[in-house]
Structures are given as structure tokens and as C-alpha cells.
Amino acid sequence: MATSVWTHMSMISPCPRYNSLGVGCPALPRGQTIDYNESSPIASGGVALQPFCKYATPWPTPAARWTAGQSITVDFAEYGSEHDGGMCEWSLSYDNGTSFVVINRVLGRCFFDAQNNHVFNYTFTLPANVPGSDSAIFAWSWVNAMGNREFYMNCADVVIDGTSESFSGPQMTVLNYPGYPSVPEFMGNYSTGLEYYNNAPTITVYAKANQTTTSTTTSMSADPPQSSPPSTMT
């Protein structure tokens, strides 16, 4: 029987595409197989291992249904290595993964709290003005602080109920992936690479997926809120 390799971190709820550890996962799309390497990076050592989101074909039914403005909790498998933390972002795409707008981020020591306890879930508020969609993509991305220079990304297909026509926020930061900047191991300096996040361009996403726009002017005020304390800590 195939088993998962718990070497890194993996989002498990909402259930990412084809994730073997996922909670409440939809049925597999026809022709696809369960991912037993769900915690593997999509790029390592300057080599792309998988595309953004790991898989292009969405779940045939949504992994979650949310309402704009509600509190959501994102869970991670408790068996992986946090690689001394790093930079985490949570983003939404309304154009089938072409662009991602950040709705929450934890920068520096993701997966640890101020007392150095492990964190395996994050609760935050879905912005009240994100557009509604029957086919939004919710993404978690991570740049690890320690170890091989990698980029991680899991994606869940979600329905969002909302009335807003547009939402603006930072564009998801991509590092250590071919064609994008690379950052070294943090070596205890948890501001390593922070400038890429602070200077991420502001993008506007629309309920109609083909209308994403990008602004070259950014400011710290565009940053999304930090997560509230995790609902459980280990």
C-alpha cells in the first residue's frame, strides 16, 4: 500500500488537489491519482518539479464553501518538518491560477508562535470584499527558512459567496522557483527575503476572471492582516 512521505509541510484543510492526507476531500477528477507526496516542494535547488498548485485540473466539486467576511481555519499535517519556519502566504485566484492575490500572510517564522511552539493551524478572516465565485482557488505558499532552497504550494478549489465585484491586495510572492528571485537560507535572520514581500505589486482581481490588473505602486498599507493566534497549538 502506498504511504505518504512526511518530510515537509502540507495543507490538509481545505483539502488541496489530490492530497492523500486531506480532510473532507471531493472525489478525484477522472484520470487523476492520489498524491502521496503531497508535502513535496514544487521547486527545489533552482529546478521546477511541478507547476503552480501542483496540479492543473480542479476538484470536480469544491473542497469548501465560504462567505466573504467569515472566519476560516486552515489546517496542516502535524507530521512534517517546518524547516525553522519561513514565509507563508494565503491567496485567492479568480482566473484559474494565472494570478493570486494575498489575503493573509505570516512572515519570518511560519509554523511557530512567539513562544516557539509548533503551529499547525491558522485562523483568519476572509476579507469581506473578496468577490464571489463558484470556482475560486485558495492557495497556501511557503518559502522555507532552512534547508534546500525550495518553494511550496498547495491549492484547494473553493466556492465563495460574496457580492463584491473586485478586491485589491499584494500579489503572491514567488521565490526559489525558476524565473523568479532566489533567497538563501535564513541562518537565523528571519527578515531574509522580506523585501520581496514588502514590495509585492498590488493587484486587483475581479469577479469576472479575465479582468485582473496590476499596479506598480505599492505601500505597506496594502499588506493583509496577520493571522490570529492558532486555534490549537502543539
Side-chain angles (χ1 to χ4, degrees):
M1 179 181 295
T3 58
S4 295
V5 179
W6 293 321
T7 55
H8 307 291
M9 298 301 294
S10 173
M11 185 171 76
I12 58 172
S13 179
C15 181
R17 292 174 180 175
Y18 321 163
N19 191 296
S20 72
L21 300 175
V23 177
C25 299
L28 276 173
R30 180 173 297 184
Q32 303 300 323
T33 58
I34 291 292
D35 180 5
Y36 292 98
N37 293 306
E38 63 285 305
S39 64
S40 62
I42 64 169
S44 181
V47 177
L49 304 176
Q50 288 182 282
F52 293 143
C53 282
K54 291 175 70 84
Y55 301 97
T57 303
W59 288 120
T61 57
R65 185 174 197 126
W66 296 330
T67 299
Q70 80 168 76
S71 176
I72 63 174
T73 296
V74 183
D75 296 313
F76 293 84
E78 299 187 14
Y79 307 98
S81 170
E82 304 93 335
H83 290 287
D84 201 32
M87 310 295 195
C88 286
E89 291 187 316
W90 293 265
S91 309
L92 290 172
S93 177
Y94 288 83
D95 55 10
N96 197 34
T98 299
S99 60
F100 288 87
V101 62
V102 177
I103 59 171
N104 194 69
R105 52 169 49 147
V106 175
L107 303 179
R109 294 214 75 201
C110 190
F111 303 119
F112 295 90
D113 66 13
Q115 290 73 46
N116 207 39
N117 296 308
H118 298 282
V119 176
F120 294 111
N121 51 61
Y122 286 96
T123 298
F124 53 89
T125 299
L126 190 66
N129 56 334
V130 295
S133 175
D134 291 332
S135 57
I137 301 174
F138 175 74
W140 159 71
S141 55
W142 174 40
V143 173
N144 54 312
M146 181 180 69
N148 294 335
R149 306 323 301 138
E150 296 170 332
F151 186 72
Y152 296 79
M153 189 176 185
N154 289 165
C155 292
D157 300 289
V158 300
V159 169
I160 298 176
D161 295 317
T163 58
S164 174
E165 291 297 319
S166 66
F167 175 78
S168 296
Q171 181 174 271
M172 182 184 74
T173 297
V174 180
L175 299 172
N176 301 332
Y177 194 94
Y180 294 86
S182 296
V183 293
E185 286 190 87
F186 291 12
M187 305 300 289
N189 177 8
Y190 297 104
S191 63
T192 300
L194 187 61
E195 67 273 14
Y196 294 109
Y197 295 86
N198 288 343
N199 295 307
T202 296
I203 66 171
T204 300
V205 296
Y206 296 85
K208 295 184 183 299
N210 61 352
Q211 296 182 0
T212 302
T213 61
T214 303
S215 170
T216 57
T217 302
T218 60
S219 66
M220 291 300 293
S221 62
D223 286 350
Q226 297 293 308
S227 296
S228 60
S231 55
T232 60
M233 291 185 291
T234 303

Short mmCIF file of all heavy atoms in Angstrom, two decimals, residues 26-68:
data_model
loop_
_atom_site.label_atom_id
_atom_site.label_comp_id
_atom_site.label_asym_id
_atom_site.label_seq_id
_atom_site.Cartn_x
_atom_site.Cartn_y
_atom_site.Cartn_z
N PRO A 26 -13.09 16.07 -1.99
CA PRO A 26 -14.03 15.60 -3.02
C PRO A 26 -13.51 14.36 -3.72
O PRO A 26 -12.36 13.93 -3.52
CB PRO A 26 -14.09 16.79 -3.99
CG PRO A 26 -13.55 17.96 -3.23
CD PRO A 26 -12.54 17.39 -2.29
N ALA A 27 -14.34 13.80 -4.58
CA ALA A 27 -13.91 12.66 -5.40
C ALA A 27 -12.86 13.14 -6.40
O ALA A 27 -12.88 14.28 -6.86
CB ALA A 27 -15.10 12.06 -6.12
N LEU A 28 -11.94 12.25 -6.73
CA LEU A 28 -10.90 12.58 -7.70
C LEU A 28 -11.49 12.88 -9.08
O LEU A 28 -12.46 12.23 -9.50
CB LEU A 28 -9.92 11.42 -7.85
CG LEU A 28 -8.78 11.29 -6.85
CD1 LEU A 28 -8.06 9.98 -7.10
CD2 LEU A 28 -7.82 12.46 -6.97
N PRO A 29 -10.90 13.84 -9.80
CA PRO A 29 -11.29 14.01 -11.20
C PRO A 29 -10.94 12.74 -11.99
O PRO A 29 -9.97 12.04 -11.66
CB PRO A 29 -10.44 15.19 -11.67
CG PRO A 29 -9.98 15.88 -10.43
CD PRO A 29 -9.88 14.81 -9.38
N ARG A 30 -11.67 12.48 -13.02
CA ARG A 30 -11.40 11.30 -13.84
C ARG A 30 -9.99 11.36 -14.41
O ARG A 30 -9.53 12.39 -14.91
CB ARG A 30 -12.42 11.23 -14.98
CG ARG A 30 -12.22 10.04 -15.91
CD ARG A 30 -13.34 9.92 -16.90
NE ARG A 30 -14.61 9.67 -16.23
CZ ARG A 30 -15.77 9.44 -16.89
NH1 ARG A 30 -15.78 9.43 -18.21
NH2 ARG A 30 -16.89 9.25 -16.22
N GLY A 31 -9.27 10.25 -14.32
CA GLY A 31 -7.94 10.15 -14.87
C GLY A 31 -6.83 10.62 -13.95
O GLY A 31 -5.65 10.50 -14.29
N GLN A 32 -7.17 11.12 -12.75
CA GLN A 32 -6.16 11.59 -11.81
C GLN A 32 -5.95 10.55 -10.70
O GLN A 32 -6.79 9.67 -10.48
CB GLN A 32 -6.58 12.93 -11.20
CG GLN A 32 -6.85 14.02 -12.22
CD GLN A 32 -5.65 14.33 -13.08
OE1 GLN A 32 -4.51 14.32 -12.61
NE2 GLN A 32 -5.89 14.60 -14.36
N THR A 33 -4.82 10.65 -10.00
CA THR A 33 -4.50 9.73 -8.92
C THR A 33 -4.16 10.50 -7.66
O THR A 33 -3.78 11.68 -7.70
CB THR A 33 -3.30 8.83 -9.29
OG1 THR A 33 -2.17 9.67 -9.59
CG2 THR A 33 -3.63 7.96 -10.50
N ILE A 34 -4.29 9.84 -6.52
CA ILE A 34 -3.98 10.45 -5.24
C ILE A 34 -2.50 10.82 -5.17
O ILE A 34 -1.63 10.08 -5.64
CB ILE A 34 -4.32 9.47 -4.09
CG1 ILE A 34 -5.84 9.29 -3.97
CG2 ILE A 34 -3.76 9.96 -2.77
CD1 ILE A 34 -6.58 10.52 -3.50
N ASP A 35 -2.23 11.98 -4.59
CA ASP A 35 -0.85 12.44 -4.42
C ASP A 35 -0.34 12.00 -3.05
O ASP A 35 -0.78 12.51 -2.02
CB ASP A 35 -0.81 13.97 -4.53
CG ASP A 35 0.58 14.54 -4.36
OD1 ASP A 35 1.55 13.76 -4.25
OD2 ASP A 35 0.70 15.78 -4.33
N TYR A 36 0.57 11.04 -3.04
CA TYR A 36 1.16 10.57 -1.79
C TYR A 36 2.45 11.32 -1.45
O TYR A 36 3.09 11.03 -0.45
CB TYR A 36 1.41 9.07 -1.84
CG TYR A 36 0.13 8.27 -1.86
CD1 TYR A 36 -0.40 7.78 -3.05
CD2 TYR A 36 -0.56 8.03 -0.67
CE1 TYR A 36 -1.59 7.06 -3.06
CE2 TYR A 36 -1.76 7.31 -0.68
CZ TYR A 36 -2.26 6.83 -1.88
OH TYR A 36 -3.44 6.12 -1.89
N ASN A 37 2.82 12.27 -2.27
CA ASN A 37 3.95 13.16 -1.99
C ASN A 37 3.44 14.59 -1.86
O ASN A 37 4.04 15.53 -2.37
CB ASN A 37 5.00 13.07 -3.09
CG ASN A 37 5.68 11.72 -3.12
OD1 ASN A 37 6.21 11.26 -2.12
ND2 ASN A 37 5.66 11.06 -4.28
N GLU A 38 2.34 14.71 -1.15
CA GLU A 38 1.65 15.99 -1.07
C GLU A 38 2.48 17.09 -0.41
O GLU A 38 2.26 18.27 -0.62
CB GLU A 38 0.32 15.86 -0.32
CG GLU A 38 0.43 15.44 1.14
CD GLU A 38 0.75 13.97 1.31
OE1 GLU A 38 0.01 13.14 0.77
OE2 GLU A 38 1.76 13.67 1.97
N SER A 39 3.47 16.70 0.40
CA SER A 39 4.28 17.69 1.09
C SER A 39 5.54 18.09 0.33
O SER A 39 6.34 18.88 0.82
CB SER A 39 4.67 17.18 2.49
OG SER A 39 5.50 16.03 2.39
N SER A 40 5.72 17.56 -0.86
CA SER A 40 6.93 17.87 -1.62
C SER A 40 6.85 19.29 -2.19
O SER A 40 5.77 19.80 -2.49
CB SER A 40 7.12 16.87 -2.76
OG SER A 40 6.03 16.94 -3.67
N PRO A 41 8.01 19.96 -2.35
CA PRO A 41 8.00 21.31 -2.94
C PRO A 41 7.70 21.25 -4.43
O PRO A 41 7.86 20.21 -5.07
CB PRO A 41 9.43 21.79 -2.68
CG PRO A 41 10.25 20.53 -2.65
CD PRO A 41 9.37 19.49 -2.00
N ILE A 42 7.28 22.40 -4.98
CA ILE A 42 7.09 22.45 -6.43
C ILE A 42 8.35 22.94 -7.13
O ILE A 42 8.44 22.88 -8.35
CB ILE A 42 5.87 23.31 -6.82
CG1 ILE A 42 6.06 24.78 -6.43
CG2 ILE A 42 4.61 22.74 -6.20
CD1 ILE A 42 5.01 25.69 -7.04
N ALA A 43 9.34 23.40 -6.35
CA ALA A 43 10.66 23.74 -6.91
C ALA A 43 11.70 23.53 -5.83
O ALA A 43 11.46 23.79 -4.65
CB ALA A 43 10.70 25.18 -7.41
N SER A 44 12.87 23.06 -6.23
CA SER A 44 13.97 22.83 -5.29
C SER A 44 15.29 23.00 -6.03
O SER A 44 15.45 22.48 -7.13
CB SER A 44 13.88 21.42 -4.70
OG SER A 44 14.93 21.20 -3.77
N GLY A 45 16.22 23.73 -5.42
CA GLY A 45 17.55 23.89 -6.00
C GLY A 45 17.55 24.52 -7.37
O GLY A 45 18.40 24.21 -8.20
N GLY A 46 16.58 25.39 -7.62
CA GLY A 46 16.51 26.06 -8.92
C GLY A 46 15.84 25.26 -10.01
O GLY A 46 15.82 25.69 -11.17
N VAL A 47 15.26 24.10 -9.67
CA VAL A 47 14.61 23.24 -10.65
C VAL A 47 13.11 23.18 -10.35
O VAL A 47 12.71 22.92 -9.21
CB VAL A 47 15.20 21.82 -10.62
CG1 VAL A 47 14.45 20.91 -11.60
CG2 VAL A 47 16.68 21.86 -10.95
N ALA A 48 12.29 23.41 -11.36
CA ALA A 48 10.85 23.28 -11.21
C ALA A 48 10.48 21.80 -11.20
O ALA A 48 10.82 21.07 -12.13
CB ALA A 48 10.12 24.01 -12.33
N LEU A 49 9.80 21.37 -10.15
CA LEU A 49 9.38 19.98 -10.03
C LEU A 49 7.92 19.79 -10.44
O LEU A 49 7.55 18.73 -10.95
CB LEU A 49 9.58 19.51 -8.59
CG LEU A 49 11.00 19.66 -8.04
CD1 LEU A 49 11.04 19.25 -6.57
CD2 LEU A 49 11.99 18.85 -8.86
N GLN A 50 7.11 20.80 -10.20
CA GLN A 50 5.70 20.77 -10.57
C GLN A 50 5.26 22.20 -10.88
O GLN A 50 5.90 23.17 -10.45
CB GLN A 50 4.84 20.19 -9.44
CG GLN A 50 5.01 18.69 -9.23
CD GLN A 50 4.09 18.16 -8.14
OE1 GLN A 50 4.36 18.32 -6.97
NE2 GLN A 50 3.00 17.53 -8.54
N PRO A 51 4.14 22.36 -11.58
CA PRO A 51 3.63 23.71 -11.84
C PRO A 51 3.01 24.31 -10.58
O PRO A 51 2.85 23.63 -9.56
CB PRO A 51 2.57 23.46 -12.92
CG PRO A 51 2.10 22.07 -12.65
CD PRO A 51 3.31 21.31 -12.19
N PHE A 52 2.68 25.58 -10.65
CA PHE A 52 1.96 26.20 -9.54
C PHE A 52 0.70 25.39 -9.25
O PHE A 52 0.04 24.89 -10.16
CB PHE A 52 1.59 27.65 -9.87
CG PHE A 52 2.79 28.56 -9.99
CD1 PHE A 52 2.81 29.58 -10.92
CD2 PHE A 52 3.89 28.40 -9.16
CE1 PHE A 52 3.91 30.42 -11.03
CE2 PHE A 52 4.99 29.22 -9.27
CZ PHE A 52 5.01 30.25 -10.20
N CYS A 53 0.39 25.26 -7.97
CA CYS A 53 -0.74 24.47 -7.48
C CYS A 53 -0.51 22.97 -7.55
O CYS A 53 -1.35 22.19 -7.10
CB CYS A 53 -2.05 24.80 -8.20
SG CYS A 53 -2.82 26.33 -7.62
N LYS A 54 0.61 22.53 -8.10
CA LYS A 54 0.98 21.13 -8.25
C LYS A 54 0.19 20.43 -9.35
O LYS A 54 0.74 19.65 -10.12
CB LYS A 54 0.82 20.35 -6.92
CG LYS A 54 1.84 20.75 -5.86
CD LYS A 54 1.58 20.05 -4.54
CE LYS A 54 1.87 18.57 -4.56
NZ LYS A 54 3.30 18.29 -4.32
N TYR A 55 -1.12 20.71 -9.45
CA TYR A 55 -1.96 20.06 -10.44
C TYR A 55 -2.89 21.10 -11.07
O TYR A 55 -3.41 21.98 -10.38
CB TYR A 55 -2.79 18.94 -9.81
CG TYR A 55 -1.92 17.88 -9.17
CD1 TYR A 55 -1.66 17.91 -7.80
CD2 TYR A 55 -1.31 16.90 -9.95
CE1 TYR A 55 -0.83 16.96 -7.22
CE2 TYR A 55 -0.48 15.95 -9.37
CZ TYR A 55 -0.25 15.99 -8.01
OH TYR A 55 0.59 15.05 -7.45
N ALA A 56 -3.12 20.96 -12.37
CA ALA A 56 -3.92 21.95 -13.09
C ALA A 56 -5.41 21.65 -13.08
O ALA A 56 -6.22 22.57 -13.17
CB ALA A 56 -3.43 22.04 -14.55
N THR A 57 -5.77 20.38 -12.97
CA THR A 57 -7.18 20.00 -13.03
C THR A 57 -7.83 20.17 -11.67
O THR A 57 -7.36 19.58 -10.68
CB THR A 57 -7.35 18.55 -13.50
OG1 THR A 57 -6.71 18.39 -14.77
CG2 THR A 57 -8.81 18.18 -13.61
N PRO A 58 -8.88 20.97 -11.55
CA PRO A 58 -9.50 21.19 -10.24
C PRO A 58 -10.32 20.00 -9.78
O PRO A 58 -10.61 19.08 -10.55
CB PRO A 58 -10.40 22.41 -10.50
CG PRO A 58 -10.75 22.30 -11.95
CD PRO A 58 -9.52 21.74 -12.62
N TRP A 59 -10.66 20.03 -8.48
CA TRP A 59 -11.63 19.07 -7.98
C TRP A 59 -12.94 19.24 -8.76
O TRP A 59 -13.30 20.35 -9.14
CB TRP A 59 -11.93 19.33 -6.51
CG TRP A 59 -10.89 18.99 -5.51
CD1 TRP A 59 -10.29 19.84 -4.63
CD2 TRP A 59 -10.36 17.69 -5.19
NE1 TRP A 59 -9.41 19.18 -3.82
CE2 TRP A 59 -9.43 17.85 -4.14
CE3 TRP A 59 -10.57 16.41 -5.71
CZ2 TRP A 59 -8.72 16.79 -3.59
CZ3 TRP A 59 -9.86 15.34 -5.16
CH2 TRP A 59 -8.96 15.53 -4.12
N PRO A 60 -13.69 18.16 -8.98
CA PRO A 60 -14.97 18.30 -9.70
C PRO A 60 -16.04 18.99 -8.85
O PRO A 60 -17.00 19.54 -9.40
CB PRO A 60 -15.36 16.85 -10.02
CG PRO A 60 -14.60 16.02 -9.03
CD PRO A 60 -13.34 16.76 -8.74
N THR A 61 -15.88 18.97 -7.54
CA THR A 61 -16.75 19.70 -6.62
C THR A 61 -15.86 20.45 -5.63
O THR A 61 -14.72 20.04 -5.39
CB THR A 61 -17.71 18.76 -5.87
OG1 THR A 61 -16.94 17.77 -5.17
CG2 THR A 61 -18.67 18.07 -6.82
N PRO A 62 -16.35 21.53 -5.05
CA PRO A 62 -15.49 22.34 -4.18
C PRO A 62 -15.09 21.63 -2.90
O PRO A 62 -15.83 20.80 -2.36
CB PRO A 62 -16.34 23.58 -3.88
CG PRO A 62 -17.75 23.14 -4.10
CD PRO A 62 -17.70 22.14 -5.21
N ALA A 63 -13.88 21.95 -2.42
CA ALA A 63 -13.40 21.41 -1.15
C ALA A 63 -13.96 22.18 0.04
O ALA A 63 -13.92 21.69 1.17
CB ALA A 63 -11.88 21.44 -1.11
N ALA A 64 -14.47 23.39 -0.19
CA ALA A 64 -15.03 24.20 0.89
C ALA A 64 -15.95 25.25 0.28
O ALA A 64 -15.81 25.61 -0.90
CB ALA A 64 -13.94 24.88 1.70
N ARG A 65 -16.88 25.71 1.09
CA ARG A 65 -17.75 26.84 0.69
C ARG A 65 -17.68 27.88 1.79
O ARG A 65 -17.95 27.58 2.96
CB ARG A 65 -19.19 26.39 0.48
CG ARG A 65 -20.06 27.51 -0.04
CD ARG A 65 -21.46 27.08 -0.42
NE ARG A 65 -22.10 28.08 -1.27
CZ ARG A 65 -22.64 27.84 -2.44
NH1 ARG A 65 -22.64 26.61 -2.93
NH2 ARG A 65 -23.19 28.82 -3.14
N TRP A 66 -17.29 29.08 1.43
CA TRP A 66 -17.11 30.17 2.38
C TRP A 66 -17.96 31.37 1.98
O TRP A 66 -18.37 31.49 0.83
CB TRP A 66 -15.65 30.60 2.43
CG TRP A 66 -14.69 29.56 2.93
CD1 TRP A 66 -14.94 28.56 3.82
CD2 TRP A 66 -13.31 29.41 2.55
NE1 TRP A 66 -13.80 27.80 4.02
CE2 TRP A 66 -12.79 28.31 3.27
CE3 TRP A 66 -12.46 30.10 1.68
CZ2 TRP A 66 -11.47 27.89 3.14
CZ3 TRP A 66 -11.14 29.70 1.55
CH2 TRP A 66 -10.66 28.60 2.28
N THR A 67 -18.15 32.25 2.95
CA THR A 67 -18.82 33.53 2.70
C THR A 67 -17.83 34.65 2.99
O THR A 67 -17.13 34.61 4.02
CB THR A 67 -20.05 33.68 3.60
OG1 THR A 67 -20.99 32.63 3.30
CG2 THR A 67 -20.74 35.02 3.37
N ALA A 68 -17.74 35.61 2.10
CA ALA A 68 -16.85 36.74 2.31
C ALA A 68 -17.10 37.35 3.68
O ALA A 68 -18.25 37.57 4.07
CB ALA A 68 -17.06 37.77 1.21
#
